[in-house]
Amino acid sequence: MKRITMIGDVGWSRFYHLGDEAMTELAIDALRDRTDIEITLIAGEPEYAGRMYGVDAIPRIGFKRDRKPNIARMKKVLAHVEGESAGNTLAPDDPAVRIIEAVRNSEAVLVAGGGNLNSMFAHHIYERATLAKIARALGKPYALTSQTLGPLIYEEDRGLVHDLLAEAQFIGTRESYTTDIAEELSSGEATVRRQVDDAFSLTASDDDRAAVSDLAAEPFILASFAEKASTPMISDTDYHARLAELTRRVADDTGLRVLLVPHGGALPPAGQTRDQLTDITIAEASGNDNVVPTRMLTARQLVALTEQAAAVIGTRYHAAIFAGAAAVPFISLAPNLYSSIRMRGAAENVGMENYVLPLDSVDDIVATAVGVIGDRGSLAAALHGQSTRRREEHQQWWNFLVAKTLGETASTAEAPGFFHAAEIPNPYVADIDVVRERLNAVQDYGLVMALKDRKLAQAKAEVTDAKAELKRLQSELDRARQSREQTESEPAVRAARRVEDTGRRAAALARKSYRRLASLRR
C-alpha cells in the first residue's frame, strides 16, 4: 500500500472554512479512487481532522506571522533532517519530528488546494516551503494542486516561494493570474499546469440531499457572503448595509427566498462565528422575511443545496465554484483585490466572467439577478456544456497527478489540456466594459493600498528595531557605569586615589612655594 503526506488548511473544531475543507476532501477522495493508499494529513487539530476524514492526522510544524522566528524555526527543522545521525536538534515531542517521519515513510507529498501562498499569511508560506524542503532532503517528490498565488508576494518571501515552486514536480493553478505569477516567481523553472479548483468535482450523496431538504422545500436563491469586506474602500458597517440592501431588493424583485449560507463558521456543537454572525446582521438589516440565514452546512451538503438553487450570488469564492460545477447561474461580487482575482478566474473557467461585478454596483447586481432568474434555462444549458467538459478534464488532471507522484516507475504522463470556455454574455448591465474597468480599479486600488500598508508596517518595524537597539545600548552603558562605580569603590582603588590626591596637593604646594621664593628674590 502506498502512503502520501498531505497538507491542507483544515481541521479546526471551532472553525469550518468550507472551501478549504472541500478542496482537501476532494483530494482525499481522488487519491482513494485511484490507488490503494494511506494518507497522513497535516491539519490544525489532528484528532478532529482524523475523525472527520478517516485518515491519520498529525499537527503542523508551527510557524507564526513574524518572519524572524520563522527563519530560525525553519533552519532548526532542516538541520534536524540533514544531520540526524550527528544528533537531534529538535525535542522528541516537537511536531516537526512527526512530519519528518511521515514524509520519510511516504512515497510523495501533496500540498492541497488553497489561496494561502500569500505574504499576508507568511506562516502558511513557511509551513509549506519547509515541508517541501523536508521532502527534497528525503528524496520524496512533491506537488501542489489547485493553487492561487499572491496577489502579494513580498521581496523577503520571493526566494522561499521560488524554491517551493521550482523544485516541485508540478503546480496546478486555478486561474490565469496564478499561472503567470507562478512562472514569474519560479523564473520559468517550474512545471505549471492550469486546472479548475479541486472543489469543482466534489459530489453530494443522497444523505447530503436529505440533510438540506428543509432548506430546498421552496424555490430559492443561494447567497454566501464573507464576514467583512477586507478593503479600505468600504467599512464593514457599510459593507453589511449594502449586502442587506441588495438581498432585500433581490428578494422583492424575484419573489424568491434568499438563503444566506455561511462558508466560514462552525459546525455544531461549536458556537456560531464569522459568516454566521454576519448573515444574521444582514438578514435583520434587510427587513425582509425572505432573506433567511441558514445553519452551517458541510461542503457536501452545500453542493447538494447548490444543485437545487435558482441562482447563486456572493462574495465567497467557492459559492461560484459549486455553482459552476452544478451548471447553476451565478453572480460573483468582488469587494477587494484578492476576491477580484479569484472570482474572475473561477468565472472565466466556465465562461461567466461577465457575471463578476463590483460590490458598489448594486443596481447592476440586482438587474443581473432578476435577468438570470428570468433566463435561467438558457444560462444553465450553456453552463452545463462547459461544466461537463471541465469535470472530464478534472478527472484527467487527477489521473495525471497520481501517475506523476505515485506511479510505480517514473511517469511520462502529460497533464491534460485546458480548453477555453466560451464567454457567456451578460445583457442585463448597460456597459460590461465599464464594469470590467471598475473591477480593474478595485484591483489597482487594492494593490496600491496593500503596498502602502506594507511600507508603513516596515517603517514601524524599523522604529521598533531602533528603539530596541537604543534600549540595548542604554543597558550596556548602565552596566558599564555600574561596573566603573563598583571598581572605584574598592579599598585599593580608594587608597590609590588618596595617594594621587596627596601627590597633586604636594605638587601644588611646591609650585606655590617656588613662586613665593621667586618673588622674594626679585
Side-chain angles (χ1 to χ4, degrees), residues 67-397:
R67 287 169 177 77
K68 286 184 179 178
N70 285 349
I71 293 170
R73 174 75 168 140
M74 172 186 269
K75 286 180 178 177
K76 189 172 183 180
V77 170
L78 296 179
H80 184 92
V81 178
E82 294 166 1
E84 276 189 321
S85 59
N88 293 331
T89 60
L90 298 175
D93 61 349
D94 190 305
V97 173
R98 293 187 65 185
I99 288 178
I100 292 166
E101 288 310 305
V103 173
R104 189 190 306 281
N105 295 323
S106 295
E107 272 74 30
V109 171
L110 181 65
V111 178
N116 41 38
L117 289 174
N118 182 333
S119 288
M120 299 295 286
F121 317 119
H123 54 299
H124 288 308
I125 292 179
Y126 276 89
E127 187 79 37
R128 284 149 181 76
T130 305
L131 176 62
K133 287 181 180 296
I134 291 170
R136 293 287 294 179
L138 297 176
K140 309 293 183 177
Y142 71 90
L144 298 87
T145 183
S146 189
Q147 295 292 316
T148 292
L149 292 176
L152 300 173
I153 303 292
Y154 298 150
E155 192 61 36
E156 58 264 47
D157 296 327
R158 291 179 73 90
L160 270 184
V161 176
H162 170 274
D163 292 348
L164 172 62
L165 302 179
E167 295 176 357
Q169 280 212 312
F170 56 85
I171 305 105
T173 63
R174 56 188 189 182
E175 60 271 314
S176 56
Y177 175 90
T178 294
T179 303
D180 293 341
I181 197 173
E183 290 175 345
E184 175 199 340
L185 288 171
S186 68
S187 304
E189 297 174 39
T191 303
V192 183
R193 296 289 184 264
R194 181 78 180 273
Q195 62 163 126
V196 288
D197 183 277
D198 278 335
F200 196 91
S201 293
L202 192 71
T203 57
S205 67
D206 289 341
D207 287 343
D208 296 315
R209 296 182 182 91
V212 297
S213 59
D214 61 318
L215 298 175
E218 299 174 20
F220 66 94
I221 294 170
L222 192 155
S224 293
F225 302 119
E227 73 206 84
K228 54 188 178 181
S230 300
T231 172
M233 294 181 72
I234 182 173
S235 70
D236 289 341
T237 299
D238 289 343
Y239 168 71
H240 297 153
R242 194 165 293 172
L243 295 177
E245 178 191 357
L246 76 86
T247 52
R248 172 185 57 78
R249 289 178 56 183
V250 167
D252 285 343
D253 292 0
T254 64
L256 299 178
R257 290 180 305 148
V258 177
L259 300 183
L260 306 180
V261 181
H263 280 223
L267 295 169
Q272 292 186 326
T273 186
R274 297 181 60 167
D275 291 11
Q276 293 166 292
L277 303 178
T278 293
D279 288 348
I280 293 169
T281 298
I282 293 168
E284 290 175 349
S286 75
N288 190 317
D289 290 342
N290 279 331
V291 179
V292 183
T294 74
R295 61 188 176 271
M296 190 75 209
L297 304 177
T298 68
R300 292 186 191 277
Q301 288 169 353
L302 184 51
V303 169
L305 188 63
T306 302
E307 292 170 348
Q308 301 173 70
V312 171
I313 185 170
T315 61
R316 277 294 187 185
Y317 169 75
H318 277 93
I321 297 299
F322 293 143
V328 172
F330 62 92
I331 304 164
S332 293
L333 312 180
N336 57 54
L337 165 67
Y338 188 42
S339 64
S340 179
I341 286 171
R342 294 190 305 153
M343 296 293 198
R344 293 170 93 170
E348 179 189 358
N349 288 345
V350 289
M352 290 288 283
E353 55 264 53
N354 293 321
Y355 291 79
V356 182
L357 306 175
L359 185 61
D360 63 357
S361 185
V362 174
D363 289 342
D364 283 342
I365 295 166
V366 174
T368 301
V370 173
V372 161
I373 296 301
D375 238 357
R376 187 186 187 285
S378 60
L379 282 170
L383 271 171
H384 180 73
Q386 315 262 43
S387 171
T388 299
R389 286 190 64 185
R390 284 283 178 243
R391 283 183 183 273
E392 292 170 352
E393 191 179 78
H394 198 213
Q395 293 299 310
Q396 294 169 21
W397 165 262

